């Protein structure tokens, strides 16, 4: 189980480096930063309109997760798009204090909205970002217009998967502190909390992604009303790079835009 989590939630460094190079050739969005409890959080902003917050996956960053695949620039055609680097990632600080992670990652998204004086936003997350997004919908439903969960489903409170996060070994040469990874179990939710989410939500998952069995199938049993878009032939790593993934995200956000 620990090996499976490690394999599906860590994006290879080579792929991310290639993505960063590709994105550097495009028009860069505005780069900004602010602090939460003394931790610097970097974020990118592009476009105007109804706000969309993009939350990247584990060992990734705002630039890597949302730039090369064109998702940020596509949404920025008619939305204000904000993509943050989570603490422990990208250009944000990387403290070794467990207080900076877990539920604090949800609080950081709220703080970002407050920093930009945004009352509500579409919340989009991939992998780890999807876990944060669902927890955000549970804890702050009044701040969300919609939720798009990519490469993730239900991290059930009290489950073996929840406990597994605290057992993952340190990743060699990773800039992300291990304490960040070990805190992810705090993002689990109960069945009642899942049932109580009332904003529109869509799941986008790779057809070959092990997350589909581990996290999405249990979610389907509780929320059969949430549409699920499967990206044919895609795994956990490749899903976010497929044009169909970006199209699904943009279509759902625009469908829910007022």
């Amino acid at each position: 189980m620990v090996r499976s989590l490690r394999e599906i939630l860590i994006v290879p460094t080579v792929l991310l480096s290639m993505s960063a190079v590709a994105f550097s050739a495009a028009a860069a969005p505005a780069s900004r930063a602010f602090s939460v409890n003394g931790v610097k959080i970097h974020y990118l902003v592009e476009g105007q309109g109804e706000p969309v917050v993009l939350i990247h996956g584990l060992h990734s960053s705002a630039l890597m997760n949302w730039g090369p695949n064109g998702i940020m620039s596509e949404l920025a055609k008619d939305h204000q798009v904000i993509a943050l680097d989570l603490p422990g990632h990208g250009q944000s600080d990387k403290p070794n204090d467990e207080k900076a992670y877990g539920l604090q990652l949800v609080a950081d998204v709220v703080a970002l909205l407050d920093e930009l004086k945004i009352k509500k936003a579409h919340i989009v997350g991939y992998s780890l970002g999807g876990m944060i997004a669902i927890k955000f919908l549970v804890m702050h439903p009044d701040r969300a217009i919609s939720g798009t969960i990519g490469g993730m489903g239900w991290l059930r409170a009290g489950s073996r998967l929840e406990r597994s996060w605290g057992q993952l070994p340190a990743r060699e040469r990773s800039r992300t502190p291990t304490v960040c990874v070990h805190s992810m179990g705090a993002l689990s939710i109960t069945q009642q909390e899942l049932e109580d989410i009332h904003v529109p939500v869509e799941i986008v998952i790779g057809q070959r992604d092990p997350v589909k069995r581990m996290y999405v199938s249990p979610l389907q049993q509780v929320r059969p009303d949430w549409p699920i878009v499967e990206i044919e032939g895609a795994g956990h790593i490749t899903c976010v790079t497929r044009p169909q993934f970006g199209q699904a995200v943009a279509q759902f956000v625009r469908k829910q835009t007022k």
Side-chain angles (χ1 to χ4, degrees):
M1 181 63 68
V2 170
R3 183 183 178 188
S4 296
L5 280 171
R6 194 177 185 188
E7 288 175 346
I8 64 178
L9 296 178
I10 297 176
V11 181
T13 303
V14 174
L15 177 61
L16 295 181
S17 298
M18 291 173 61
S19 298
V21 171
F23 186 56
S24 65
S31 176
R32 302 177 186 174
F34 74 117
S35 293
V36 179
N37 299 328
V39 176
K40 184 193 78 171
I41 297 179
H42 172 259
Y43 64 98
L44 304 172
V45 182
E46 185 177 4
Q48 296 181 347
E50 203 165 73
V52 181
V53 175
L54 304 178
I55 313 173
H56 64 76
L58 184 62
H59 299 300
S60 186
S61 70
L63 184 151
M64 294 173 181
N65 211 141
W66 309 110
N69 52 23
I71 293 176
M72 188 167 188
S73 58
E74 174 61 28
L75 286 171
K77 292 177 180 179
D78 46 17
H79 289 80
Q80 180 189 25
V81 186
I82 308 107
L84 78 160
D85 285 336
L86 297 169
H89 298 78
Q91 297 182 49
S92 291
D93 284 345
K94 300 167 181 62
N96 282 302
D97 185 353
E98 63 181 7
K99 294 180 181 178
Y101 305 105
L103 290 179
Q104 182 57 44
L105 299 177
V106 180
D108 291 340
V109 177
V110 176
L112 179 58
L113 293 179
D114 291 343
E115 170 75 9
L116 297 174
K117 297 179 172 55
I118 294 172
K119 292 183 178 180
K120 290 187 175 185
H122 301 275
I123 308 298
V124 180
Y126 191 78
S127 193
L128 166 59
M131 292 166 58
I132 296 170
I134 289 184
K135 192 71 172 181
F136 182 95
L137 300 181
V138 168
M139 298 180 67
H140 304 282
D142 58 320
R143 306 299 297 270
I145 302 169
S146 71
T148 305
I149 313 302
M152 187 44 61
W154 177 24
L155 177 60
R156 182 173 61 84
S159 67
R160 184 169 59 173
L161 281 171
E162 177 192 27
R163 295 189 296 272
S164 293
W165 282 97
Q167 302 167 6
L168 286 175
R171 184 190 186 202
E172 293 183 8
R173 296 183 297 276
S174 173
R175 297 179 64 203
T176 301
T178 302
V179 67
C180 171
V181 181
H182 288 173
S183 74
M184 295 302 101
L187 298 172
S188 66
I189 63 174
T190 66
Q191 180 170 329
Q192 187 62 58
E193 288 174 328
L194 184 60
E195 292 173 348
D196 288 343
I197 295 175
H198 295 303
V199 300
V201 177
E202 179 175 84
I203 307 295
V204 186
I205 187 77
Q207 183 186 38
R208 298 180 179 178
D209 190 343
V211 167
K212 186 172 70 169
R213 173 181 56 82
M214 298 165 67
Y215 293 92
V216 177
S217 292
L219 181 144
Q220 284 183 288
Q221 302 302 312
V222 180
R223 296 305 306 248
D225 56 313
W226 287 3
I228 296 177
V229 178
E230 287 194 15
I231 306 303
E232 185 177 358
H236 190 77
I237 294 169
T238 58
C239 182
V240 74
T241 68
R242 297 289 181 88
Q244 296 90 338
F245 176 84
Q247 292 165 9
V249 171
Q251 288 173 6
F252 186 72
V253 169
R254 287 178 175 135
K255 182 179 179 181
Q256 307 305 325
T257 298
K258 298 178 181 178

